[in-house]
Amino acid sequence: MPRKPVYNEYCANCHGDSGKRRRLPDAMMYDPSPSDLTDVKHMNSLTDGEIFYQITQGRKPMPFPSAKKLTEDQRWQLVILVRSFASPTTPPARAT
């Protein structure tokens, strides 16, 4: 099960509660700005391994590499959670 508390503690200040980066004060101080984790096209262009690597090593200007702060399991759970932000919340309409 994805761990939202870990996301809330380490990621939400810049990526937003639901991954939709907004004009959050913490996010506005970085250039480039934090990724919009709800952007389906962008998220589909990344493998789970790439997301895991970015969470682990950080991505400039991400303020910290989480390898020392989060367990490997926590980081993989974040990959699952981050993926869920770009998933449709409702099924697509059926073609008639």
Side-chain angles (χ1 to χ4, degrees):
M1 169 122 193
R3 297 195 177 127
K4 185 83 163 136
V6 173
Y7 176 86
N8 288 342
E9 183 175 347
Y10 293 102
C11 313
N13 285 346
C14 293
H15 291 283
D17 291 337
S18 62
K20 178 79 174 162
R21 158 197 89 220
R22 301 197 186 233
R23 296 191 62 77
L24 299 167
D26 287 359
M28 291 173 45
M29 65 185 185
Y30 296 111
D31 184 28
S33 61
S35 296
D36 177 351
L37 304 176
T38 65
D39 180 344
V40 175
K41 183 177 179 182
H42 171 68
M43 294 306 293
N44 284 342
S45 73
L46 300 171
T47 66
D48 288 350
E50 288 171 318
I51 296 170
F52 180 85
Y53 180 83
Q54 289 176 359
I55 292 168
T56 301
Q57 297 301 317
R59 188 182 129 221
K60 290 188 180 193
M62 210 159 106
F64 70 92
S66 63
K68 294 178 181 150
K69 296 182 181 188
L70 304 174
T71 67
E72 182 176 345
D73 182 58
Q74 287 174 314
R75 288 177 272 143
W76 280 115
Q77 293 299 319
L78 283 173
V79 171
I80 295 167
L81 181 66
V82 165
R83 282 267 183 232
S84 76
F85 293 147
S87 298
T89 55
T90 57
R94 261 189 201 177
T96 54

